[in-house]
């Protein structure tokens, strides 16, 4: 504290601190601009919208980030102790009102904008011709049920649940609608068709996450939660669990493929044949 | 966890009184130190847990030093996740800045001799202490510590051992510990609020209170309203576990092939109750550090706080909005999309008071004469971290943008910077600032600066890459990335972060050494007011006498941050200095 | 919590009464560093009481909102007839409040004749309330309705038990005031009697609220 004889040390520290802040800001901006590690390209229209909103947010936060950190660096350097008396000021109400309004407008505006994208994800009318697939999370695997040619899911009963015997859903095969229900550990969907996943969980909460879809939805025991999307591009991707579900959480994954219509139909036929040859 | 013997050396206490004076003391200063030391033990426990986790993430198949011969098991990793989070949030971030410093300095800064209810104060500390013992005991019971994270989501936390190792007795102890902690925090909060309302010195109007006092006061209100809710939630969870009720456990659950006998409960109900507490809890952790950083920035730039009133209102707004936004933790939970919209816009609006605070901090430095003490460096570091950690919140507050980022390392980076590291920087700054008042000796400034530089650079090296790993899609709470193909690209970044964490973690030993060494051999704080500060604690000896003001009743005549007033011989006016003929005071 | 309140009352009692120095620190009053602290002002105790009640209120609000949400989930909720005894208990508890209040007002006159009798009667009515609550539990148990039987019964037992624990604390405080007697109260500005009565009235009102919730929210 002892004011005057510390001025010299003050300059060095101010310089190092300001320099540090500038370098840190530049490096951080570089990492985000070059997208050092980033999501793979999205395969859905909604994914593009999410990316656009993310980009807007990056711009806004980026500007505030750079201005604040560099502003901090500037005052640290400029207003280091020079053995003078500091300016006596309790603030400035005009400035106060100005930046309150500006941030309110920017932040809340951005937030309101986001709701339009959100509405498209979760409030859109279900497509009547959607491909409906049940997704069931369990410790520590994903299971998928396709309704088969009849387009209807058969009855399930809790007491029939037996993952060891290949019946994690507890499908009651005595129900005619259940006879052609296909249960597989991989998720295949056709390209360019509306998909409706119905997420359920058998034991604890799991969460459905595919990076390329940009979608994440918890599968909650006791609830059936729909998740809708259209995949525009074929390819092989990975589905992972993103809600802590127990000791095997990190190995709870499943392959996720978007196939052409023909491939998809063929795969369904193959699975059905397999089911009927080995009921 | 006993009080170090040097404290006893200052006062010639009869030996038979030791227990009453330094262990079961009702003196707010002793209790404040007890809380601080408890947090100090807890923070090193939590730190070691996090370094063990980091080792596993970087080298998943290698044995972890001092952790058995083989590689760490996933369930051991998750136990570390849970305990690291719980210990850090409750026993460090809630304990040190509020219960520790608040206890010691709130009464002094308002000119009181003690808290309003000293016995409740003592009970509050010892209840917290018991809570900590129960929490740590979870490590040593059959099955080990719980693996459900600090959020303890049901049904994972509600159905017992069937859900995994650690979910038996370990999880029960976790809930019991949290419940005890709730009781302790409620007693503490009650004391803080009553003290602030009723025990202020003459002349100390609300708008003359230092921002530290405001921060502790608002934090205590949050704690008073939030911890009862957590207690209720914990009670219901405990009943689900041991009494067979179904508050949070739905019917028809089957673990592998074993059904559990419950009916129609709601896992989301737990999340609502938990986050109704949990979000205010985040502000309980950060608000005291905001107050302390404000105090330091004004003191060491020798300038009044820029926009004192705006700072107070901003803290109030943050506290109030903190109760309206819990749902933003649940955008992916299956909650109604309409409520998500409301929660989202409300959450974005928290950015406004946060921005006001940031601009006011920079405005405080503007035109100042900055003294780069270690305390000041940490306060400036706090501002930088608050900006960095706060802005990432704007991503997570928007449900669509949150979708891909939710439960990834982006979230981990966000909350560690804002509620973990920024809050810790506030605590460090306050420690360097108040240590001479508390112990009569200075911390070593050279070691302090070394500690600052390594820590400041270190935390950014740890957490900036983690934002990008989140953007890559790295999920949190994964013990290893070996099973998921796309995570093989994360091996390098994981190792980088681990090395940065190890270096930063080791650097904390500098602080620990500095703390212990300075208690005995630090430079003596001979002057009553070495930092030339204005608040009341700097008008009394270091350490202060038993009744703080030695029988004097301070009368406050000035605002809390009267620095560099023109025409004054000194560049600061203590709050209790006689009134000036032509008062130059603003607020 | 009530036990700690009582200890605080002890402090206050000495404080508002005697203003004696060096009362707690024993022995070393000549050491300036260990000068006795001034007493906590009376107003702080009432602030503390209100804050404590606010915290308890939040606890019950959390339970009540859990009740409403859980009931809304439908499916497995089976309401059951609340024992009629609860209404009797309610009357007993409210009567207890009135009697305690009457006793408290008696303290305003010197000497406070019959304070002890009224206050003890109020306390006994409080005990009667708890006995009645346990009896209501036993009635339900006899019908096969237990804690885990159904969410409706779970909440019933949780509400009554949580309230009962707070009543136990209140009884401890009532007992403490009764044991110290009227003279002690009057020498301490009636502090502990006023605080205890305030807490006790709150428990009465809280119980009525809970009972209405249980009755109409069933």
């Amino acid at each position: 504290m002892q004011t005057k004889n510390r001025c010299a040390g003050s300059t060095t520290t101010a310089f190092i601190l300001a320099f540090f802040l500038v370098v840190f800001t530049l490096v951080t901006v570089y990492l985000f601009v070059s997208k050092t590690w980033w999501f793979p390209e999205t395969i859905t229209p909604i994914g593009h919208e999410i990316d656009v909103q993310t980009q807007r947010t990056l711009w806004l936060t980026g500007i505030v980030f750079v201005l604040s950190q560099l502003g901090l660096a500037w005052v640290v350097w400029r207003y280091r102790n020079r053995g003078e008396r500091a300016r006596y000021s309790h603030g400035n109400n005009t400035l106060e009102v100005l930046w309150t309004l500006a941030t309110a407008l920017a932040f809340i505006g951005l937030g309101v904008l986001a709701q339009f994208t959100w509405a498209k994800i979760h409030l859109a009318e279900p497509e009547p011709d959607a491909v409906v697939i049940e997704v069931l999370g369990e410790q520590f695997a994903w299971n998928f049920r396709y309704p088969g040619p009849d387009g209807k899911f058969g009855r399930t009963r809790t007491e029939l649940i037996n993952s060891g015997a290949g019946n994690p859903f507890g499908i009651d095969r005595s129900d005619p609608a259940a006879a052609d229900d296909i249960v597989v550990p991989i998720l295949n969907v056709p390209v360019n068709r509306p998909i409706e996943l119905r997420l359920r969980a058998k034991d604890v909460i799991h969460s459905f996450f595919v990076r390329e879809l940009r979608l994440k939805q918890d599968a909650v025991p006791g609830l059936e939660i729909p998740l809708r999307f259209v995949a525009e591009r074929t390819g092989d991707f990975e589905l992972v669990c993103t809600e802590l579900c127990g000791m095997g959480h990190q190995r709870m994954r499943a392959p996720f493929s978007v196939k052409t219509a023909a491939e998809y139909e063929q795969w369904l036929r193959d699975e059905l044949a397999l089911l009927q040859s080995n009921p | 966890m006993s009080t170090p013997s040097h404290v006893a050396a200052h006062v010639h206490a009869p030996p038979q009184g030791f227990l009453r004076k330094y262990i079961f003391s009702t003196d707010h200063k002793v209790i404040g130190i007890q809380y601080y030391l408890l947090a100090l033990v807890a923070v090193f426990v939590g730190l070691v847990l996090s370094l063990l986790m980091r080792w596993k993430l970087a080298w998943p198949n290698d044995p972890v030093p001092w952790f058995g011969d083989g590689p760490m098991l996933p369930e051991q990793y998750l136990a570390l996740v849970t305990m690291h989070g719980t210990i850090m949030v409750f026993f460090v971030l809630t304990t040190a800045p509020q219960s520790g410093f608040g206890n010691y300095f709130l009464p002094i800064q308002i000119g009181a001799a003690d808290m309003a209810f000293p016995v409740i104060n003592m009970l509050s500390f010892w209840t917290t202490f018991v809570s900590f013992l129960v929490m740590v005991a979870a490590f040593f019971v059959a099955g080990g510590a719980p693996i459900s994270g600090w959020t303890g989501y049901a049904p994972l936390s509600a159905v017992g051992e069937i859900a995994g190792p650690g979910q038996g007795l370990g999880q029960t102890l976790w809930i019991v510990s949290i419940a005890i902690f709730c009781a302790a925090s409620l007693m503490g909060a009650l004391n803080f609020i009553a003290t602030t309302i009723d025990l202020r010195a003459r002349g100390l109007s609300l708008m003359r209170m230092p921002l530290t006092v405001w921060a502790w006061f608002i934090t205590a209100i949050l704690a008073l309203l939030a911890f009862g809710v957590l207690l209720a939630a914990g009670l219901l969870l405990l009943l689900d576990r041991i009494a067979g009720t179904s508050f949070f456990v739905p019917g028809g659950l089957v673990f592998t092939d074993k059904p559990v006998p419950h009916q129609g409960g709601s896992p989301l109900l737990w999340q609502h109750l938990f986050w109704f507490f949990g979000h205010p809890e985040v502000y309980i952790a950060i608000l005291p550090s905001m107050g302390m950083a404000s105090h330091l920035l004004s003191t060491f730039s020798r300038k009044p706080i820029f926009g004192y009133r705006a700072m107070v209102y901003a803290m109030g707004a943050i506290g109030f909005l903190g109760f309206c936004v819990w749902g933003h933790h649940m955008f992916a939970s299956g909650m109604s999309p309409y409520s998500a919209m409301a929660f989202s816009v409300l959450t974005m609006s928290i950015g406004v008071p946060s921005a006001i605070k940031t601009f006011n901090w920079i405005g405080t430095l503007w035109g100042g004469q900055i003294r780069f003490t270690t305390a000041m460096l940490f306060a400036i570091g706090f501002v930088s971290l608050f900006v960095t950690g706060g802005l990432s919140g704007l991503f997570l507050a928007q449900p669509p943008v949150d979708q891909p980022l939710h439960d990834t390392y982006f979230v981990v980076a966000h909350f560690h910077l804002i509620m973990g590291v920024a809050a810790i920087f506030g605590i460090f700054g306050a420690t360097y600032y108040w240590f001479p008042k508390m112990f009569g000796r200075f911390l070593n400034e050279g070691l302090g600066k070394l500690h600052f530089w390594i820590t400041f650079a270190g935390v950014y090296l740890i957490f900036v890459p983690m934002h990008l790993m989140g953007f890559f899609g790295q999920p949190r709470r994964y013990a290893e990335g070996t099973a998921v193909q796309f995570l093989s690209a994360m091996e390098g970044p994981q190792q980088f972060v681990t090395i940065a964490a190890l270096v930063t973690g080791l650097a904390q030993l500098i602080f620990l050494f500095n703390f212990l060494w300075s208690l005995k051999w630090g430079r003596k704080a001979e002057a009553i007011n070495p930092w030339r500060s204005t608040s009341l604690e700097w008008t009394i000896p270091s350490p202060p006498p038993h009744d703080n003001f030695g029988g004097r009743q301070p009368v406050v005549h000035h605002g809390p941050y009267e620095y560099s007033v023109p025409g004054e011989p000194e560049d600061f006016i203590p709050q209790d200095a006689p009134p000036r003929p032509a008062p130059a005071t603003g607020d | 919590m009530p036990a700690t309140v009582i200890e605080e009352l002890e402090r206050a009692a000495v404080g508002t009464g005697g203003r004696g120095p060096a009362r707690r620190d024993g022995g070393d009053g000549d050491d300036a560093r260990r000068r006795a602290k001034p007493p906590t002002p009376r107003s702080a105790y009432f602030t503390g009481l209100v804050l404590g009640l606010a915290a308890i209120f939040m606890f019950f609000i959390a339970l009540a909102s859990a009740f409403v949400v859980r009931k809304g989930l439908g499916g497995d909720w089976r309401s059951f007839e609340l024992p009629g005894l609860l209404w009797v208990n309610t009357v007993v508890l409210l009567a207890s409040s009135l009697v305690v209040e009457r006793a408290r007002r008696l303290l305003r006159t010197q000497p406070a004749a019959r304070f002890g009798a009224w206050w003890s009667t109020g306390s006994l009515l409080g005990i009667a309330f708890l006995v009645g609550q346990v009896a209501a539990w036993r009635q339900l148990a006899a019908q096969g309705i237990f804690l885990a039987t159904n969410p409706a019964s779970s909440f019933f037992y949780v509400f009554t038990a949580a309230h009962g624990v707070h009543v136990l604390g209140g009884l401890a405080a009532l007992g403490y005031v009764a044991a110290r007697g009227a003279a002690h109260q009057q020498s301490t500005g009636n502090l502990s009697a006023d605080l205890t009565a305030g807490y006790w009235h709150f428990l009465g009102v809280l119980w009525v609220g809970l009972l209405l919730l249980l009755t109409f929210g069933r």
Side-chain angles (χ1 to χ4, degrees):
Chain A
M1 246 12 270
Q2 295 68 19
T3 1
K4 275 157 194 138
N5 50 8
R6 288 288 181 89
C7 293
S10 189
T11 305
T12 321
T13 315
F15 180 78
I16 299 174
L17 188 53
F19 183 75
F20 176 92
L21 287 170
V22 171
V23 170
F24 154 70
T25 308
L26 294 180
V27 169
T28 306
V29 168
Y30 168 77
L31 288 172
F32 277 81
V33 168
S34 69
K35 300 197 175 2
T36 318
W37 302 300
W38 214 261
F39 290 125
E41 206 184 320
T42 182
I43 56 170
T44 65
I46 201 70
H48 284 294
E49 286 208 28
I50 290 175
D51 284 356
V52 168
Q53 181 68 13
T54 307
Q55 201 59 41
R56 284 186 198 125
T57 313
L58 271 170
W59 272 108
L60 178 67
T61 53
I63 291 167
V64 180
F65 175 75
V66 170
L67 288 182
S68 304
Q69 301 286 4
L70 294 187
L72 189 61
W74 163 250
V75 292
V76 160
W77 170 248
R78 170 66 186 77
Y79 298 108
R80 66 190 187 276
N81 182 19
R82 301 174 185 205
E84 297 158 11
R85 183 164 276 223
R87 190 183 308 160
Y88 180 73
S89 154
H90 280 281
N92 181 322
N93 284 340
T94 320
L95 267 179
E96 210 79 62
V97 171
L98 235 126
W99 63 46
T100 304
L101 289 179
T103 47
L105 202 71
F107 292 174
I108 298 173
L110 185 69
V112 170
L113 211 54
Q115 307 313 318
F116 294 98
T117 310
W118 178 245
K120 283 187 191 158
I121 301 174
H122 278 292
L123 298 175
E125 286 296 311
E127 302 276 350
D129 61 335
V131 175
V132 180
I133 305 164
E134 274 193 4
V135 180
L136 180 76
E138 67 172 325
Q139 288 182 331
F140 299 97
W142 292 102
N143 305 285
F144 308 94
R145 175 157 79 137
Y146 293 76
D150 67 350
K152 277 189 219 143
F153 290 109
R155 191 170 55 227
T156 58
R157 300 214 327 255
T158 308
E159 54 279 17
L160 293 176
I161 291 177
N162 190 336
S163 298
N167 193 4
F169 285 87
I171 296 172
D172 182 357
R173 293 286 180 190
S174 66
D175 177 12
D180 60 351
D181 285 8
I182 298 164
V183 176
V184 283
I186 55 174
L187 178 58
N188 286 345
V189 300
V191 74
N192 287 328
R193 281 196 53 193
I195 311 290
E196 178 173 326
L197 303 179
R198 293 186 184 159
L199 302 180
R200 288 167 46 199
K202 189 176 141 227
D203 35 40
V204 299
I205 302 176
H206 303 277
S207 191
F208 176 101
F209 178 44
V210 175
R211 296 186 304 159
E212 290 78 2
L213 296 179
R214 301 287 191 273
L215 294 180
K216 189 171 284 143
Q217 178 58 57
D218 286 4
V220 182
L223 297 181
E224 185 176 274
I225 301 168
L227 189 64
R228 305 187 181 95
F229 62 90
V230 179
E232 298 176 313
R233 190 159 61 80
T234 58
D236 296 322
F237 312 105
E238 248 177 324
L239 155 63
V240 296
C241 178
T242 46
E243 186 64 79
L244 177 55
C245 60
M247 55 194 277
H249 176 46
Q250 68 285 333
R251 60 183 156 86
M252 185 168 162
R253 64 174 286 280
F256 166 62
S257 302
V258 182
K259 296 182 178 298
T260 62
E263 280 172 351
Y264 176 72
E265 294 302 331
Q266 184 57 44
W267 173 75
L268 271 184
R269 278 195 295 276
D270 292 348
E271 286 294 333
L272 192 62
L274 199 65
L275 174 72
Q276 280 158 352
S277 68
N278 185 19
Chain B
M1 247 344 289
S2 70
T3 314
S5 56
H6 72 273
V7 181
H10 284 304
V11 182
H12 308 291
Q16 68 268 26
F18 180 80
L19 213 61
R20 275 285 297 280
K21 279 170 186 142
Y22 302 109
I23 305 297
F24 297 107
S25 168
T26 57
D27 182 42
H28 71 102
K29 298 184 288 297
V30 176
I31 296 171
I33 292 172
Q34 287 173 327
Y35 266 119
Y36 188 91
L37 294 179
L38 174 65
L40 195 63
V41 170
V43 80
F44 276 92
V45 173
L47 178 68
V48 169
L49 300 185
S50 69
L51 294 180
L52 292 172
M53 282 151 61
R54 280 312 323 173
W55 186 285
K56 166 74 177 167
L57 288 168
W59 302 287
N61 298 316
D62 294 356
V64 179
W66 314 297
F67 201 85
D69 298 327
M72 186 191 290
L73 300 172
E75 55 269 37
Q76 291 172 323
Y77 175 84
L78 291 176
L80 296 179
V81 167
T82 306
M83 296 299 271
H84 166 77
T86 311
I87 287 175
M88 288 301 202
V89 168
F90 290 100
F91 297 101
V92 179
L93 296 175
T94 310
T95 298
Q98 176 77 3
S99 309
F101 284 124
N103 240 312
Y104 200 110
F105 288 106
L106 183 138
I108 304 184
Q109 287 196 332
I110 64 170
D114 206 321
M115 284 282 183
F117 313 114
V119 176
I120 291 184
N121 204 16
M122 174 190 78
L123 278 172
S124 170
F125 169 74
W126 285 104
T127 318
T128 309
F129 183 73
V130 170
S131 163
F132 183 65
L133 292 186
V134 174
M135 183 61 70
V136 173
F139 271 121
F140 303 102
V141 297
I147 60 171
S148 60
W150 87 278
T151 51
Y153 273 16
L156 183 59
S157 60
V159 291
E161 274 164 343
I162 197 166
Q167 294 313 96
L169 187 52
Q171 181 77 62
T172 303
L173 286 175
W174 183 88
I175 300 170
V176 170
S177 164
I178 296 297
I180 299 172
F181 190 88
C182 289
S185 298
L186 288 175
M187 289 192 275
L190 185 152
N191 227 335
F192 273 60
I193 303 172
T195 306
T196 312
I197 292 178
D198 288 294
L199 266 58
R200 294 200 311 279
R202 203 141 57 80
L204 186 60
S205 62
L206 288 176
M207 284 300 159
R208 278 181 178 166
M209 296 199 307
L211 288 173
T212 41
V213 175
W214 268 112
W216 290 317
F217 181 57
I218 294 172
T219 302
I221 296 173
L222 296 189
L224 191 85
L225 299 178
F227 272 103
V229 175
L230 181 65
L231 184 60
L235 174 69
L236 299 185
L237 184 60
L238 196 63
L239 289 176
D240 269 5
R241 291 176 60 80
I242 62 177
T245 56
S246 303
F247 295 108
F248 306 125
V249 189
L253 294 197
V254 181
F255 285 78
T256 317
D257 298 324
K258 291 192 211 69
V260 294
H262 282 276
Q263 33 182 356
S266 165
L268 289 193
L269 177 58
W270 166 262
Q271 295 181 25
H272 279 293
L273 289 172
F274 181 84
W275 287 118
F276 184 86
F277 149 79
H279 200 77
E281 166 62 27
V282 173
Y283 295 133
I284 290 171
I286 190 71
L287 276 170
S289 285
M290 288 187 191
M292 297 187 297
S294 307
H295 202 75
L296 299 184
L297 290 171
S298 176
T299 302
F300 292 111
S301 61
R302 316 307 297 163
K303 260 199 73 197
I305 278 284
F306 190 98
Y308 171 88
R309 274 174 191 272
M311 292 297 247
V312 173
Y313 299 147
M315 277 199 280
I318 290 172
F320 172 75
L321 286 171
F323 278 105
C324 312
V325 298
W326 76 90
H328 69 221
H329 298 268
M330 300 170 60
F331 288 152
S333 70
M335 174 182 69
S336 150
Y338 294 103
S339 6
M341 290 177 162
F343 282 125
S344 165
V345 175
L346 281 164
T347 306
M348 292 299 275
S349 64
I350 289 193
V352 178
S354 309
I356 294 175
K357 294 201 77 77
T358 304
F359 296 146
N360 281 340
W361 284 322
I362 295 177
T364 302
L365 296 174
W366 196 283
Q369 292 284 316
I370 301 171
R371 270 70 162 169
F372 293 99
T373 58
T374 307
M376 184 59 160
L377 289 176
F378 274 105
I380 294 171
F382 170 89
V383 176
S384 171
L385 287 160
F386 185 79
V387 171
T388 314
L391 285 172
S392 50
L394 291 176
F395 291 81
L396 301 169
Q398 304 172 58
V401 182
D402 173 70
Q403 284 271 302
L405 296 174
H406 189 87
D407 268 331
T408 65
Y409 274 26
F410 188 86
V411 178
V412 177
H414 162 68
F415 74 75
H416 271 90
L417 278 186
I418 192 86
M419 92 178 273
V421 181
I424 293 269
F425 266 52
I427 298 170
F428 279 141
T431 305
Y432 284 97
Y433 174 70
W434 275 322
F435 192 90
K437 184 55 62 186
M438 295 166 80
F439 301 107
R441 288 172 188 276
F442 286 94
L443 283 167
N444 183 292
E445 282 281 305
L447 285 176
K449 285 184 173 145
L450 182 67
H451 171 224
F452 167 77
W453 287 113
I454 301 178
T455 309
F456 194 38
V459 293
Y460 273 142
L461 287 173
I462 296 167
F463 292 111
V464 169
M466 283 176 83
H467 289 92
L468 293 146
M469 294 164 80
F471 266 115
F472 180 80
Q474 164 75 52
R476 65 191 283 216
R477 293 170 166 175
Y478 269 28
E480 52 201 24
T482 41
V484 176
Q485 282 158 16
F486 71 78
L487 289 181
S488 56
M490 286 290 97
E491 203 177 316
Q494 291 280 29
Q495 286 167 358
F496 176 86
V497 170
T498 296
I499 290 166
L502 287 170
V503 173
T504 315
L506 278 177
Q508 303 318 302
L509 292 177
I510 302 173
F511 172 75
L512 189 64
F513 172 79
N514 195 354
F515 189 94
L516 297 175
W517 186 84
S518 301
L519 281 175
K520 193 147 174 64
W521 292 288
R523 186 162 62 86
K524 273 219 163 103
E526 266 137 17
I528 276 181
N529 188 3
W531 310 122
R532 303 158 64 77
S533 286
T534 52
S535 44
L536 291 177
E537 75 271 29
W538 302 105
T539 62
I540 56 177
S542 315
H546 182 61
D547 73 337
N548 298 343
F549 293 90
R552 180 169 67 92
Q553 290 200 334
V555 179
V556 171
H557 296 286
H558 301 277
Y561 300 110
E562 289 302 302
Y563 290 104
S564 304
V565 180
E568 285 288 322
E570 296 282 351
D571 69 349
F572 69 103
I573 305 177
Q575 284 198 269
D576 66 344
R580 300 300 192 257
T585 54
D587 281 321
Chain C
M1 194 176 104
T4 64
V5 173
I6 286 170
E7 290 204 45
E8 291 302 338
L9 296 179
E10 295 281 15
R11 275 177 58 81
V14 183
T16 47
R19 281 199 172 271
R23 67 202 138 77
R24 287 182 74 81
D25 304 311
D28 48 0
D30 54 340
D31 185 346
R33 295 191 62 84
R34 301 200 54 80
R35 195 188 304 269
K37 296 176 180 181
T40 300
R42 187 180 156 89
S43 62
Y45 289 91
F46 292 92
T47 310
L49 176 68
V50 170
L51 295 170
L53 300 186
I56 296 171
F57 184 69
M58 281 307 288
F59 172 80
F60 280 96
I61 281 288
L63 289 180
S65 52
F67 175 88
V68 173
V69 170
R70 182 66 180 79
K71 180 164 185 291
L73 293 171
D76 57 337
W77 191 277
R78 306 269 174 280
S79 35
F80 59 93
E81 207 54 43
L82 292 180
L85 182 57
L86 290 179
W87 295 99
V88 180
N89 295 346
T90 308
V91 172
V92 170
L93 185 61
L94 294 180
S96 163
S97 238
L98 288 176
V99 173
V100 165
E101 181 61 21
R102 160 94 181 130
R104 191 179 73 85
R105 292 190 181 186
L106 282 174
L107 285 171
R108 290 180 190 163
T109 51
Q110 290 275 14
R114 292 177 290 119
F115 165 78
W118 278 90
W119 189 272
S120 304
T121 310
S123 312
L124 289 176
L125 282 171
I127 295 174
F129 168 79
L130 272 193
V131 172
Q133 294 289 82
V134 173
W137 279 4
R138 292 184 63 97
Q139 284 183 10
L140 282 179
Q143 296 170 39
I145 299 174
F146 300 99
L147 175 63
T149 306
N150 188 266
S153 67
S154 303
F155 274 107
F156 174 80
Y157 281 102
V158 167
F159 278 129
T160 46
H163 180 260
V165 167
H166 287 88
V167 169
L168 271 180
L171 285 174
L174 285 169
Y176 169 81
V177 171
R180 296 303 297 265
H184 174 76
Q185 286 303 322
Q186 291 183 326
S187 70
T188 58
N190 305 338
L191 185 64
S192 51
D194 286 353
L195 291 172
T196 304
Y199 178 66
W200 194 244
H201 299 330
F202 169 78
L203 289 182
V205 174
L206 177 66
W207 170 248
V208 172
L210 292 178
L211 187 61
L212 291 179
L213 179 70
L214 286 167
T215 308
F216 295 109
R218 198 151 54 86

